[in-house]
Amino acid sequence: MIAVVGWGAVVGGLQPLVAAIGSAGGVNVPLTFLIALVKGVLILFVLLTTAAYLVLAERKVSARIQLRLGPNRVGPAGLLQPAADAVKLIFKEASAPEGRDRFLFELAPALAAAMALFAFATIPINQTICIGGHGGAGPLSQTCPGGLALHWDLAHLNIGLLFILAITSVGVYSIFLGGWASNSKYALLGALRSSAQLISYEMAVSFAVIGPVLLAGSLDLEKVVHAQHSLWFVFLQPLAFLLYLTAGLAETNRLPFDLPEAEGELGAGYHTEMAGMRFGMYFVGEYINMVTVAAIATTLFLGGWMAPVFFLPNWLGPIWFFAKVGLLIFIMLWVRWTYPRLRYDRLMQLGWKVLLPLGLANIAVTAVFVALR
Amino acid sequence: MFRELIGGLRITMRNMLSKPVTIQYPEEQRPVPPRARGRHILHRYDNGLEKCIGCELCAGACPVGCIYVLAAANDPAHPVSPGERYAARYEINLVRCIYCGYCAEACPTEAITLGPRLDLADYKRERLVATKEDLLESWPGFRPTAAAPGRPDPAPRSELAAPSPTAPVARSATDTA
């Protein structure tokens, strides 16, 4: 509920504000608002559906890796399983512990889903398209004199990447507050682990994304993609790409870094006490975060909407984009069902003693390279 | 380290590309081993007479006392079994039964054996008391009132016919224990 309201706030507030500040004068505010509303609803719908079907994909992939079939009873080939799961979650009794913090206990799951949705707002799915006007938007200009520039992200920020990093940091609160408000030792332990883990891996994520940003010279995600038109950054920054994927797995609390959940040790970690749709929102948040991490990796390293081979048409932008996202998500699932969970001290060691120094070294080398260019 | 990580990924990818081993149970069923001890079968002779003569040796041999037999005298004009007596009622409490097969060992006429049927679950406990109609074998050559008693059937256990599909007969929930 709060997630939807919060999303509405972004749709209603952020976009016209940005539009008004960004291009003073000549902005058709009601039209901009309408477009933002449509885009917001579309993204909401697509992301929630994707999250639901990612659960099915995860179960199918895990089943095939373990030589099983996976869910195949609800609908053809199990394709209606997400609907059945959703109905089950909604109608399940949402039991709650006695001594909980009532406000935070309700807020935390909503925050998890809402922040996961927010983070997607600045990711460009395609390049800006010019409707009407003269001259049209060039490949690098994101304005459209005399016409309507149609951006393929919800909130067209020139600090898009910073916005995403900030929002994912807020997402940590949902986990920590959820664990703390539950008044349960397992939830609290899970939340403690998770905050320690997420803070250390957030550093690694930040350092990893600085490489492409240095090369592109902008935090504007659309400009970062344009900077890759000749060569994707994954070839210039392979180390940063691996760092980002590793730290991204830790950021989304997925195996082999799912210590906040750690079923074998902590019940279910921070959401031990969450039942029904409270759990459902954490679940949705986790899977949307997977999409977001994959989408950011696609934007920063895999050339966003650009065709994978030069002779393929670029106007299929969104399809290339989602194909790359899907590939990365598959890799995340594949990794999850291959490796066991790391021990906690090893996890922290990997974060602070391996990923962080590597990230720093990568920044230094990239900076020298950019300075000498 | 990277070689091991890649090696793990290769194994899971190979698994993913190979055929699943799942058997989709209600639709596909694995063949049961020939001497599996599942639900009991009460056998007939080829001429349709029941093998059971109501001697209650099975009930006596049963370590958990789950078999109840009520014997009655055969009508010479329309015998149910070749002997003097037959089982008017024959009930097995399938929940109490431990499927040890002692009843089959004790039976002098090989009238009762343990069959291949293993799916014994039900929603009503009362229905888990199998009556004579549930257990009795019936095959195409089945004749309810044979004129003459036939010879004993020397067929080995593995060649015995499959149990009859359970007909929706009324089952009693009586004093089998």
Side-chain angles (χ1 to χ4, degrees):
Chain A
M1 200 61 217
I2 300 176
V4 175
V5 172
W7 187 249
V10 167
V11 171
L14 196 57
Q15 166 71 14
L17 198 70
V18 169
I21 296 167
S23 51
V27 174
N28 190 341
V29 174
L31 186 63
T32 316
F33 183 84
L34 189 72
I35 289 174
L37 191 71
V38 169
K39 283 196 285 199
V41 170
L42 260 181
I43 291 178
L44 188 69
F45 178 75
V46 168
L47 277 185
L48 289 179
T49 316
T50 311
Y53 274 90
L54 265 186
V55 179
L56 181 67
E58 170 121 51
R59 292 175 64 181
K60 280 280 187 191
V61 167
S62 69
R64 292 306 304 270
I65 282 178
Q66 297 161 356
L67 295 180
R68 295 182 288 114
L69 284 169
N72 64 349
R73 296 282 151 159
V74 190
L79 280 176
L80 294 178
Q81 185 72 38
D85 287 347
V87 169
K88 186 207 94 174
L89 275 178
I90 289 168
F91 287 105
K92 198 164 176 171
E93 181 193 358
S95 63
E98 192 60 36
R100 67 190 184 275
D101 183 312
R102 278 167 194 279
F103 176 66
L104 291 181
F105 193 71
E106 300 298 333
L107 178 70
L111 205 62
M115 288 309 137
L117 288 168
F118 279 171
F120 209 82
T122 62
I123 294 174
I125 295 165
N126 198 356
Q127 58 187 332
T128 300
I129 284 177
C130 203
I131 299 170
H134 47 270
L140 284 172
S141 86
Q142 294 164 31
T143 55
C144 188
L148 180 71
L150 186 64
H151 304 302
W152 285 66
D153 46 12
L154 178 65
H156 195 72
L157 298 177
N158 56 2
I159 51 159
L161 193 57
L162 203 59
F163 175 81
I164 291 172
L165 290 178
I167 289 297
T168 46
S169 301
V170 178
V172 180
Y173 280 95
S174 71
I175 287 172
F176 188 68
L177 290 179
W180 186 78
S182 295
N183 192 30
S184 150
K185 55 192 164 210
Y186 295 119
L188 187 63
L189 281 172
L192 280 173
R193 280 185 175 192
S194 139
S195 45
Q197 170 183 333
L198 292 187
I199 289 167
S200 33
Y201 277 83
E202 203 134 282
M203 305 278 284
V205 166
S206 313
F207 283 148
V209 300
I210 287 178
V213 167
L214 279 175
L215 286 180
S218 172
L219 281 166
D220 185 334
L221 286 172
E222 193 164 343
K223 284 190 182 143
V224 174
V225 177
H226 277 303
Q228 303 177 55
H229 74 275
S230 55
L231 188 59
W232 293 356
F233 284 163
V234 66
F235 300 114
L236 293 173
Q237 297 274 335
L239 182 61
F241 181 63
L242 283 179
L243 285 180
Y244 182 78
L245 273 193
T246 314
L249 284 176
E251 276 278 287
T252 47
N253 285 327
R254 290 186 58 78
L255 271 163
F257 307 111
D258 72 333
L259 284 127
E261 276 187 55
E263 299 93 334
E265 310 153 32
L266 292 177
Y270 57 88
H271 59 57
T272 303
E273 306 292 346
M274 303 287 176
M277 213 45 212
R278 292 197 193 99
F279 166 75
M281 280 196 272
Y282 272 120
F283 211 50
V284 163
E286 180 185 325
Y287 280 90
I288 294 178
N289 271 332
M290 273 174 72
V291 181
T292 310
V293 164
I296 296 169
T298 302
T299 311
L300 292 180
F301 296 101
L302 296 183
W305 62 79
M306 303 219 179
V309 198
F310 66 91
F311 53 80
L312 290 170
N314 251 332
W315 53 265
L316 283 172
I319 290 177
W320 301 133
F321 181 83
F322 284 116
K324 290 169 189 173
V325 169
L327 182 73
L328 285 177
I329 286 176
F330 172 74
I331 289 174
M332 289 165 93
L333 298 180
W334 185 15
V335 164
R336 167 169 182 184
W337 294 99
T338 302
Y339 300 136
R341 186 180 300 136
L342 281 179
R343 211 170 68 196
Y344 196 64
D345 59 326
R346 299 254 173 93
L347 174 88
M348 294 313 253
Q349 265 182 24
L350 179 69
W352 290 103
K353 294 186 182 170
V354 180
L355 295 188
L356 207 64
L358 279 178
L360 274 172
N362 186 58
I363 291 175
V365 172
T366 312
V368 170
F369 171 77
V370 170
L372 294 181
R373 188 166 56 176
Chain B
M1 184 186 82
F2 278 104
R3 269 185 61 189
E4 283 87 349
L5 289 178
I6 300 289
L9 287 176
R10 268 184 53 206
I11 288 174
T12 44
M13 179 51 89
R14 203 165 54 226
N15 277 355
M16 208 177 323
L17 298 178
S18 56
K19 199 171 171 295
V21 294
T22 305
I23 293 172
Q24 303 214 50
Y25 167 65
E27 293 88 10
E28 319 169 24
Q29 294 189 14
R30 258 205 286 214
V32 175
R35 300 193 55 179
R37 298 200 298 263
R39 211 179 83 161
H40 314 71
I41 305 171
L42 281 177
H43 294 280
R44 290 175 188 277
Y45 291 110
D46 280 345
N47 60 12
L49 287 182
E50 290 170 16
K51 285 184 176 178
C52 180
I53 52 173
C55 66
E56 296 185 36
L57 279 178
C58 47
C62 182
V64 291
C66 69
I67 304 182
Y68 170 75
V69 184
L70 180 68
N74 261 323
D75 177 5
H78 302 286
V80 181
S81 75
E84 289 173 12
R85 302 205 300 168
Y86 73 102
R89 282 172 67 185
Y90 195 104
E91 291 169 7
I92 297 181
N93 188 336
L94 295 175
V95 192
R96 177 162 289 198
C97 178
I98 58 170
Y99 302 93
C100 60
Y102 283 8
C103 47
E105 304 282 342
C107 185
T109 60
E110 288 198 6
I112 185 166
T113 60
L114 268 61
R117 209 181 128 188
L118 300 170
D119 50 337
L120 301 166
D122 207 320
Y123 288 103
K124 282 249 192 273
R125 233 190 304 186
E126 289 77 25
R127 288 210 293 258
L128 284 165
V129 175
T131 60
K132 198 176 160 188
E133 292 81 50
D134 301 333
L135 299 169
L136 198 60
E137 188 179 45
S138 52
W139 51 51
F142 167 74
R143 292 190 304 274
T145 53
R151 288 174 293 112
D153 181 11
R157 285 180 199 176
S158 55
E159 287 176 32
L160 295 173
S164 62
T166 40
V169 283
R171 299 175 210 200
S172 59
T174 43
D175 48 350
T176 51

